[in-house]
Amino acid sequence: MTEGPEAHEPGSSTQELSRDLGFYAVFTTATGTMIGAGIFILPGVAAQGAGPGAALSFLFAGIIAGLAALSVCELATAMPKAGGPYYFVSRAMGPLMGTIVGLGAWLALILKGSFALVGLGQYVFHFSSISILATAAVGGLLLVGVNLVGAKATGLLQNVTVLVLLGILGVFVAKGLMAADMATLRPLLPFGWSGVVTTTGVVFISYLGIVKAAAVAEEVENPERNLPLGILSSVVLVTFLYVCTMVIVTGVLPMESIAGATAPLADAGQVFLGVTGGILVGVAGILATISTGNAAILSSSRYPFAMARDALMTPWIRRIHPRFQTPARSILVTGGVMVALALLLDVERLAKLGGVFGMLVFSLVNISVLVLRKTAPDWYRPSFRVPLYPIVPALGAVAALAPIPQLGLFSHVAAVGFVALGVGWYYWQRKVVAGTDVTIQPEYGLRDQWEEIRQIQALEVKRKVLRPVTVQEETEVSVVAEIAEGMPNKHLLALAAALARKHASAVDAIMVTELPYQSPLESPVVTPSPDWVNKIRARMEAYGVPLRFHHLLARNKAHAILAFARPETRVILLDWHDEFRPVRIRGSYVDRVLQASPTRVAVLKYRGHKSYNRILVATAGSPYAPSEVEMGDSLARLTNARLTLLMVLPTDASATREERARAYLERLSELTESNPELHVVRGDNVTQAILSAGQGHDLIILGATREFLFRHLFDSHLVGKIADKIAEESTGSVLVVKNPGGTERMAGGMMRWLAGRWNRLRGRPPESRIRLPAAPEDTPVEPFSRNLE
């Protein structure tokens, strides 16, 4: 048996079910859940919405269902458990999303059952004058009673009904296609493509039963072949029957007759099969609606039962009837809601609402495959895998949501309200079980899965960034270090040398002398002495790194530094001598470089330590950026310092999240060469946790905010709230690293363009026209104040 997510839990069962179900069993189960009321009731509603183009609506709905079926097959072979899409989604994205899907799938099947009950009333009304709603109510109560007593005989009845329906529909299609008048099918799209898309959402309810076939996955022989073959072949067959049925109905009946028909298939059958044929099709419609209603109660009542097992429903609803051994309370609640909805809503609204909830469920089922493939937990070992991953599940997730915007305000409000209900129910249930010995399952949530995906993606990036670097022959890479006139920080130079050795590059040491706009760039200035430059060069040569020194005369210091921000530049290192406070840095050249640089920037705040003995790289729960780890690892190897990787998690983080954080740090440490110490701590105050852990360390390396957001335009923080606070309050040296994202680079370019236009309006020359000459290296300069020895 394929190992499931609970296989490693204490007390989990190791019993296996016999795999003796073949292709035919899977095919009949899947077909029986889809063929039924939809094909007998919806042709009239669909024709009113899309005309003859409704056949395309059934085709598109079938394609969407087929994409979801592939994901269902993969999930079912990995998790052959009761609960269907609820179980799949909850184990992929946590109990919150599981609650939303569980309630959604439950309500979708209830709506399908209500829809079938109304259809039953319509077909009975076709042969008599009995009220449609009266038949729906009585039929619903009888089906509830059947499910309460037990359903041993209903399985055989269901299979016989499916075979009878397939036989009748086979004759209907064979005779009907020859009788259809192609002239009646024109125009094909009287309401345009919008009518087809809207109708796709309406008829989607016909395919909701597809996930029920996944329940037998644990008993299927050769599941990697029989499960997808049986489910997909049934989707193809049912879609073919639906499309042909719509072609026939719109091809033999005028639109005005279809619009007023309570039993459109029976009316169409009477045209080319005679009175007897019409009666036979009408009887088939009654059987189909009864079969669909019965299956809806049987399957939907299991969702609250499965959710109660995970502590997401009250234990009251999972009580088993002592005599009939059925989940009686769940059946009564489900059946009562089903009958009530049948009495309150018409066919079209029932179909739309059921379709909306079904599409949300199908979309999340596809997303579950994406999540589980990416996180790849140990227990996820499907014997069937969706082909063309990730294109097929991603396309299926998007396609399932595409018709929803066309389904009207009522459906939209219901969908939003339903999601809000699911969220509210989940948090209310968490409050109910708090302080008890009951634990909601699974213990991990969507945030944990998201962090796991981010960690995996971060590791993939780091494998490229932290791998050994070969010398570039065509592009000369460099590390840029900005040094203040007369004050080169030997610790900044050590960091530059460490990164240059990592990338087999040279160091571009730049010293910028700003000149006022009133002075010409050729004005005489004090230039650095050769002795001072040679001492810097000697230190870099001791590290085995070549140095290129540049003395720049510029109107704007920030722009002079940014001129070195080329694609081959690995990092720009800046040395900040004043207090590291936003009020001090805001508006400075460091601020402008941080905001506008298209490459990463690191700012060092030196606080007097003699050497690097202990280096801490810290992050607040999120994956490290490659630069933070690369700089820490490179500097630790150069100086033989001890490197520590620290991750701070919230105090309420789940045990699963902590385990994944530790596993992430272990995998990350394997990519480094300095054998770092690994620490995971909890704390609601991330700043204090990092400051506390940083005591005794010579250097703390932090990541700045990495993505540009609109709110950052009005933010009072320089590089992020946490990084600003730590850099300001730490007693040791701090290195803040900023990695600009794509949106940030775009925003930075826009801001530079606006600044250029503003300077032009003020009569200043554009920054791009400022010459940035390198001064001769043998010009005199005052000696520096910091000791390089």
Side-chain angles (χ1 to χ4, degrees), residues 368-677:
S368 295
V369 171
L370 295 172
V371 171
L372 289 171
R373 284 280 197 102
K374 194 66 178 178
T375 56
D378 292 337
W379 53 262
Y380 190 70
R381 303 188 187 104
S383 56
F384 169 81
R385 289 181 176 267
V386 175
L388 299 177
Y389 170 90
I391 297 174
V392 169
L395 181 62
V398 174
L401 298 176
I404 292 180
Q406 300 293 328
L407 293 180
L409 180 62
F410 178 75
S411 299
H412 298 164
V413 172
V416 173
F418 152 72
V419 173
L421 173 65
V423 173
W425 180 272
Y426 168 73
Y427 284 105
W428 180 80
Q429 194 64 24
R430 275 184 58 180
K431 186 176 181 180
V432 168
V433 302
T436 68
D437 57 352
V438 177
T439 303
I440 291 178
Q441 296 294 331
E443 295 186 44
Y444 53 86
L446 182 59
R447 183 174 63 177
D448 301 325
Q449 296 293 73
W450 172 243
E451 288 299 334
E452 175 78 355
I453 292 174
R454 292 182 65 191
Q455 291 171 4
I456 292 171
Q457 291 175 332
L459 285 170
E460 291 174 354
V461 173
K462 291 176 182 64
R463 287 190 180 96
K464 300 177 182 178
V465 174
L466 301 179
R467 69 176 184 268
V469 178
T470 57
V471 178
Q472 304 276 343
E473 296 183 356
E474 298 181 359
T475 304
E476 188 174 10
V477 299
S478 67
V479 173
V480 175
E482 183 262 336
I483 57 177
E485 187 172 348
M487 296 193 306
N489 188 331
K490 68 176 183 179
H491 299 281
L492 186 77
L493 295 178
L495 179 59
L499 293 171
R501 289 178 60 170
K502 164 71 178 178
H503 295 284
S505 65
V507 171
D508 283 306
I510 59 175
M511 187 180 77
V512 183
T513 300
E514 276 191 300
L515 297 176
Y517 283 96
Q518 295 81 4
S519 302
L521 288 175
E522 292 79 8
S523 300
V525 295
V526 178
T527 54
S529 71
D531 291 340
W532 183 72
V533 174
N534 288 336
K535 284 185 178 181
I536 299 175
R537 182 174 285 108
R539 175 166 289 278
M540 301 306 288
E541 288 177 354
Y543 289 131
V545 175
L547 176 77
R548 296 190 293 257
F549 182 82
H550 309 271
H551 181 205
L552 307 179
L553 306 179
R555 307 290 191 195
N556 186 297
K557 191 174 185 178
H559 185 266
I561 296 172
L562 289 170
F564 282 82
R566 307 182 185 98
E568 59 270 20
T569 301
R570 290 295 175 259
V571 65
I572 296 176
L573 301 173
L574 304 177
D575 190 10
W576 184 251
H577 306 286
D578 202 347
E579 292 181 84
F580 200 105
R581 297 173 58 191
V583 67
R584 295 281 190 177
I585 304 178
R586 181 72 65 189
S588 69
Y589 77 96
V590 171
D591 185 15
R592 292 193 290 271
V593 173
L594 283 168
Q595 298 302 325
S597 176
T599 188
R600 57 183 174 173
V601 180
V603 182
L604 176 66
K605 174 55 188 173
Y606 172 72
R607 288 194 172 95
H609 58 275
K610 300 299 182 182
S611 61
Y612 291 118
N613 295 313
R614 298 189 66 190
I615 300 172
L616 174 69
V617 184
T619 183
S622 300
Y624 289 99
S627 301
E628 301 161 24
V629 180
E630 180 190 9
M631 290 185 180
D633 185 44
S634 300
L635 190 57
R637 286 190 289 113
L638 181 73
T639 61
N640 294 318
R642 286 169 54 191
L643 179 65
T644 300
L645 301 181
L646 172 72
M647 181 174 287
V648 181
L649 298 180
T651 54
D652 62 349
S654 65
T656 300
R657 187 177 181 189
E658 182 173 345
E659 291 174 6
R660 290 176 174 178
R662 295 182 185 278
Y664 166 70
L665 291 181
E666 290 173 0
R667 293 194 297 267
L668 181 60
S669 67
E670 296 172 358
L671 302 178
T672 65
E673 300 180 37
S674 52
N675 191 26
E677 297 180 5

Side-chain angles (χ1 to χ4, degrees), residues 287-309:
L287 292 176
T289 51
I290 292 175
S291 173
T292 300
N294 179 65
I297 293 178
L298 181 66
S299 55
S300 61
S301 62
R302 269 53 179 178
Y303 282 96
F305 190 77
M307 293 175 68
R309 187 173 53 193

